[in-house]
Amino acid sequence: MKSNPAITTQLSYLVSIEKINSPRMSAILKVYSKVLKTMVDILLDKGFQWILPVILAKSTDPLWPDPNFSIEDRIELEIYGTRVKTMQSMIVHKRVLVSLGPPKIFTLSPNIRIENRERVATGRHLYEFTQLDLEIAYGKMDDVFRLFEELVKRSIEVVSKEMEEELKIFSRELRIPSTPFKVFKRRWLIEKYGEDWEEIISREFEEPVWVTDIPRQFYDYEDVETGEWRNYDLILPEGYGEVLSGAEREYEYEKILKKIERDGLRREDYKLLLELAEKRLLKPSAGAGLGVERFIQYICGVKHIGEVQPFPRIPGIVPDL
Ligand code: AMP
Ligand code: MG
């Protein structure tokens, strides 16, 4: 990729001490606290258990096959003579926990994904970011829709009402979305808008929308008869794009095994998940993960996601801190 001098100057500012010291950064950090408190309070009130994250594990999200997949490296290291990976998402851990432990859980989970360095230009990718990641045993798609509609709408309302001063710093006029959000099928969007549907609907629609039926990782539920996937993304307006992915989940041993093989994955990497499924201990569930930095980026109306991290993890750039 040719370097554009304007982008290069902006990027060096994003990783500078001056940025950490700026009124915009302090306003962004206040927005984080407000939004996280709002969302965590709602979840705790609804009886979710707050789980602390895991970072190193033998098993993590394969991130494959996902239409948005573009990582240039997977970090593996050896501890105590055993190979482990850094967390790409806690999906496997969430599935096991809601099956054997509390039925409703959430975590703020750091994910390490060494995104292709060209993604510096998207303004939406980081190589370390955080998911507000939750799972509900026996949950359904609609339960997750209603829950995240409340989390998203309430966060926007609270920031609009209580953080006028901060929003002024970004010249941000936030629109409070109406709920429920509209739901579209991916196949219909492709017919209408072509393969770039995500970018187009994100620019054209004025409210967040749900998109369902996206062929991807083995753990999302696929209806074999209709070929429909019971999964979903939440797309934000104003060009901010996908902020959340989630699904109802597979729980049957034979089906999971077949899909793992179809995707060319190693079954040893999902040993415990498969064992539980084989013993019929893997419960059906539904869940989703919201990209916290992307959501804050949207709320503040910031152009590059690197701006919302005090210590940015921008693809291709390794700063001093
Ligand atoms: P996924 O399940 O892979 O779609 O990840 C869940 C959510 O995390 C996405 O919808 C994004 O909001 C966020 N996310 C995923 N990858 C990145 C990234 N490289 N940088 C920042 N946020 C990300
Ligand atoms: Mg996704």
Side-chain angles (χ1 to χ4, degrees):
M1 194 181 62
K2 272 199 200 143
S3 64
N4 171 337
I7 290 186
T8 314
T9 320
Q10 195 210 1
L11 290 175
S12 57
Y13 173 71
L14 292 185
V15 295
S16 70
I17 296 289
E18 290 74 39
K19 186 198 81 170
I20 301 183
N21 195 25
S22 69
R24 279 172 71 92
M25 187 78 250
S26 28
I28 287 168
L29 294 179
K30 285 184 192 158
V31 172
Y32 266 101
S33 296
K34 186 68 85 182
V35 168
L36 288 171
K37 175 168 172 21
T38 303
M39 295 198 291
V40 162
D41 281 349
I42 293 173
L43 292 169
L44 293 174
D45 282 349
K46 290 183 187 291
F48 279 77
Q49 298 282 313
W50 188 350
I51 306 301
L52 295 179
V54 172
I55 311 275
L56 297 174
K58 286 200 219 169
S59 187
T60 188
D61 192 332
L63 297 181
W64 170 262
D66 186 315
N68 289 329
F69 168 90
S70 166
I71 57 173
E72 59 174 58
D73 208 356
R74 291 172 191 275
I75 309 298
E76 285 194 23
L77 53 146
E78 199 172 301
I79 52 169
Y80 311 115
T82 306
R83 301 292 298 171
V84 289
K85 305 175 182 80
T86 52
M87 196 55 63
Q88 297 189 141
S89 100
M90 276 181 62
I91 180 64
V92 180
H93 297 77
K94 283 197 308 174
R95 289 291 288 116
V96 170
L97 199 54
V98 292
S99 296
L100 303 179
K104 300 202 291 189
I105 56 156
F106 75 94
T107 180
L108 285 161
S109 159
N111 288 185
I112 299 173
R113 300 185 188 176
I114 311 304
E115 297 282 357
N116 196 305
R117 66 197 70 199
E118 284 171 10
R119 285 197 155 177
V120 60
T122 66
R124 299 172 53 232
H125 290 91
L126 298 163
Y127 61 84
E128 272 184 49
F129 63 94
T130 304
Q131 285 197 54
L132 173 71
D133 209 357
L134 61 82
E135 201 71 22
I136 308 167
Y138 301 108
K140 292 287 177 195
M141 198 142 100
D142 280 339
D143 303 326
V144 179
F145 284 4
R146 300 297 90 79
L147 178 59
F148 271 100
E149 282 161 2
E150 184 177 343
L151 294 172
V152 165
K153 184 174 180 176
R154 193 73 200 117
S155 301
I156 295 176
E157 272 172 356
V158 169
V159 172
S160 301
K161 276 201 201 114
E162 299 176 21
M163 306 199 78
E164 268 178 38
E165 232 172 80
E166 284 74 17
L167 290 178
K168 232 183 258 159
I169 295 180
F170 312 113
S171 312
R172 181 73 168 143
E173 279 187 32
L174 266 178
R175 182 191 166 111
I176 304 198
S178 32
T179 50
F181 303 158
K182 289 195 175 127
V183 184
F184 296 93
K185 283 211 160 83
R186 182 194 54 103
R187 291 167 217 234
W188 184 85
L189 290 169
I190 292 178
E191 263 172 41
K192 188 157 161 79
Y193 300 105
E195 289 300 326
D196 291 336
W197 58 267
E198 182 186 326
E199 216 188 306
I200 296 170
I201 64 169
S202 179
R203 269 190 276 110
E204 286 191 358
F205 293 4
E206 291 186 327
E207 302 256 314
V209 294
W210 294 108
V211 177
T212 67
D213 187 15
I214 307 157
R216 57 185 176 210
Q217 285 95 318
F218 72 90
Y219 49 74
D220 285 4
Y221 190 89
E222 186 183 359
D223 186 329
V224 255
E225 267 163 35
T226 59
E228 208 168 306
W229 291 68
R230 272 189 235 143
N231 59 10
Y232 35 84
D233 280 358
L234 182 64
I235 309 294
L236 291 174
E238 298 175 64
Y240 285 93
E242 180 200 317
V243 72
L244 165 155
S245 288
E248 289 180 21
R249 314 296 185 186
E250 298 286 7
Y251 55 93
E252 288 165 313
Y253 174 71
E254 292 294 341
K255 204 168 160 203
I256 297 179
L257 191 59
K258 226 186 247 167
K259 290 174 86 182
I260 284 180
E261 278 167 5
R262 178 174 86 186
D263 293 350
L265 302 172
R266 289 153 27 116
R267 69 161 90 173
E268 311 88 84
D269 290 349
Y270 304 97
K271 191 167 158 270
L272 188 71
L273 194 76
L274 285 164
E275 269 172 31
L276 286 181
E278 198 172 15
K279 292 183 190 146
R280 295 176 183 269
L281 290 172
L282 196 63
K283 291 178 182 162
S285 69
L290 172 112
V292 175
E293 293 84 353
R294 280 201 194 162
F295 189 45
I296 301 294
Q297 178 190 18
Y298 170 73
I299 289 195
C300 298
V302 165
K303 217 165 157 202
H304 199 288
I305 193 167
E307 189 176 354
V308 307
Q309 288 180 312
F311 306 108
R313 289 342 196 204
I314 300 169
I317 301 176
V318 181
D320 288 337
L321 287 182

